[in-house]
Amino acid sequence: MVQTMKLTLLTIVSLASQLAAATWPRRYIESEACVDSSQFNFDNCTTENIQCLCQSKNYLSTVALCIHKQVTGGAKNRDDAWDHFVATRCLINNNSLSDQMYDDAKEYLKTTNLVVIPEDKEAPVYKPIRVEDHSFHISLAAQVNYLRQKDISTIQGCILVGYWVLIIALTAVKRFLRYMVVRFSQTRVSMERPGKLYRLWQKHIAIPACFGFSHMCKVRVWGISMSIPTRLESVACFVYLLLTIIFLCAPYPYMATDPLYPTHWKQMMRYMSDRTGIIAAIQMPLFTLFALRNNILIWVSGWPYATFNTYHRALARVCYALLIIHAVAKHVFSQSYGASLVEYFYPVPYYRWGVAAMGLMAIMIISAFFRESHYEIFLRLHIAAAVCAYACSIKHLDGLGYKQTIYVSLGLIAGDWVIRVSRILFINVSLFLPPVLGSTRYSFAQASLLEGEVVNLKIRTPVHWKFRPGQYVFVHINKWRVWEGHPFSIVGQSSDGESFQIFCRSRGGHTRGLLHKLAREGCTKNNQMTVSVLVEGPYGVHCPLERYDEVLLIAGGIGITSIIPYVEHLVEHRPDARIVFVWVAQFRDNLRWVDDRLQKLIRASNVDMHLYVIRERGSFEEQLESIAQANDIPMVDIDINEAATHLPESNKEPTLDPTKLDTQVDQMSVTSQSTSKVEETLFGSQSVITLQDSTSVVSPTATAKCEPTMATVAPLAYPHYRHYIQYGVRPDMEIIVRDFFNSSCGSAAVIDCGPPSLMDTVRRAICRHLETAKHGRVDYYEEGFSW
Ligand SMILES: Cc1cc2nc3c(=O)[nH]c(=O)nc-3n(C[C@H](O)[C@H](O)[C@H](O)COP(=O)(O)OP(=O)(O)OC[C@H]3O[C@@H](n4cnc5c(N)ncnc54)[C@H](O)[C@@H]3O)c2cc1C
């Protein structure tokens, strides 16, 4: 660990010094000192009017003479120093033109007399001046002081980058060591219960959201919908912010004899504007990398993309704030000379490029307003504005240095796109090698519509590729907004073994369009349609649940797509582990999405499965029809009376009329307070029922005879696992988590994926009941469907 820290620090320091040295070689400093000591009103041009001065032979030959005399290291260095001068002052980047100017200046010096430095610095000068050594050396000292400020800023910027690198490196080392222990230990290692301090850390820092427990549920601030980071993420961002503020306020050494910036105020404004600009420029590659899909740090650290996205936003906002300070300080600085920066600098291209870059970055930040409502527009605008802002920043930094950081940022974006396109081509196109059996040279999918709200895509690609639970792919539906790819969890191999399956639930945009289009073309569950698709991926981090002795997996609604692969994986790889699997589905027919998989799971002896169906839809006849379809039997064969005999105990007593379900559930009463608990719901106004003792919850209508309503016939739909289903109730996550921890005998993990409110409830329950797991380590993983 210490070695890693040392290595990281060494890398940062060496990077910092390289960046600083590469930006400001000695010959440039001497060139700058010559310019500074040649500040006179040549040929009636004021010292501010640099464009006029660049036309003045006397000014140019004064600088040329100084460079010739003072720049050390031979003719090559002198030429470079001159090129630096004309590039930064006269904005001429053409080498042959620059050489010509240098030669002309030297020729002119041969034919004209020199004058001494005038007493009155404002007086016009019509001859070249021989700059005195003393004057040059004061300017050189001022330059060195000024550049030292820049070097300090560079090091500060690198320390801030190093801060993130260090956190990620430590996480990576920890992850690697754990992996090695599991990989190479002969017997399986059960993760022991950590010390009190670590549990306190988990309870108060690592797991909760920054304020309370609202993490997945978004909050609206000034019309912007944003998610609150976890407390740990907030701490990481806060330390970063604190370091930035400390660096910003760190003293700016004052040089009393500075001929450039004679007052303390001027020096401070100048140095502050440089420091903020430099620190922001150095952060750019890092926060750009954080936003990319192919971010190597995801793989190294094991953090999900959502975490990097949180850090990307935090860093970008801090850097934008720095750039605002940079611009304001520059304006205040110029005003301290009585000049308006806009008037003075507007004609200078670098100023305009800087303004353009700031404007584009503002667009990127403002686009967060419609991130939620128009994600695709946000995404495209964000990327386009980023690339343009970086291009403008390069122009802005031309001749000033530090543009290497922007090149790196652009390189990272380009690299990400190259990898993305390569991955798409590799998986979806097989031009030269024969495609795998049963496939074509291009990917395609068999689409079917489930209950009019979910599209089941069985995707077949021409090459085989591996995926793990927790991974997802971006799917582009071909011929129809091909540029638009959406993330979907890989549910697993389809029953044919040749394709993999994803489920797309209809949301507001692309997914709804896809669903409507398929419905219009007559696609149903049984009438599958072939659509061309492009798959990009797989992405995402696999949570190492197989390392735990006991795992609680909670899915809500479509979140099953992410959870069920884990359950199957655990059944296969950890037959000795205790697996508690809870799925809360909205409607009974939702269970059909993964019917075949659920049937297999009940055969596994170590899976404790609890399925909840919250409500019913459609008329009674429609529901019967759907049951008949699900069971593949004629409707007339459904024996309603027989249904009652199939009911699990929990469903026998309550007779819930589907049309009045909500009201009835609300009216439920508790018959035995000691053994069960009905609470006002965490999910709204509905009542809740515990996992352990659901039988004691009854409705006021419980005494009524069994009528042929949905509650009685619904279990017929799933004859294989009807005993695992409870109708019309929502589970109390708090109690499920508590009971799971209470009964755990080893290390335990909880993972969930579902509606934000469900996930936040689970998070809260884990923090509250963490202590009750007495025998091993406890960890929490979440698979969110938003970032
Ligand atoms: C890792 C991950 C796995 C997912 N797995 C599944 C799954 O298995 N099944 C399923 O039905 N849904 C899944 N989703 C959600 C699914 O990606 C979105 O519902 C879908 O992209 C919405 O598209 P839309 O145009 O219809 O949505 P809109 O109504 O336009 O947007 C709804 C919300 O979806 C999110 N979103 C939209 N487009 C994107 C995008 N390109 N990338 C990321 N987020 C986006 C935004 O937060 C947006 O606010 C997953 C999401 C993520 C991040």
Side-chain angles (χ1 to χ4, degrees), residues 747-768:
S747 56
V750 181
I751 185 167
D752 61 358
C753 181
S757 60
L758 180 138
M759 296 176 75
D760 283 345
T761 310
V762 173
R763 176 182 293 278
R764 183 175 60 185
I766 290 172
C767 289
R768 285 198 182 148

Side-chain angles (χ1 to χ4, degrees), residues 727-741:
Y727 290 91
V729 287
R730 285 178 194 265
D732 183 341
M733 290 304 157
E734 186 92 25
I735 293 172
I736 288 179
V737 170
R738 189 197 66 193
D739 291 350
F740 173 71
F741 285 160

Side-chain angles (χ1 to χ4, degrees), residues 218 293 371-376 379 472 474 481 484-491 502-512 558 561-562 784-787:
K218 306 232 157 124
R293 283 184 195 173
R371 186 179 191 276
E372 267 304 293
S373 52
H374 298 86
Y375 188 85
E376 283 303 320
L379 193 66
Y472 56 90
F474 285 85
R481 302 220 283 199
E484 202 174 317
H486 288 260
F488 295 103
S489 303
I490 306 167
V491 182
I502 59 167
F503 291 109
C504 321
R505 179 169 211 143
S506 165
R507 294 284 298 269
H510 177 88
T511 48
R512 191 168 58 184
I558 194 71
T561 55
S562 183
F785 276 1
S786 67
W787 45 55

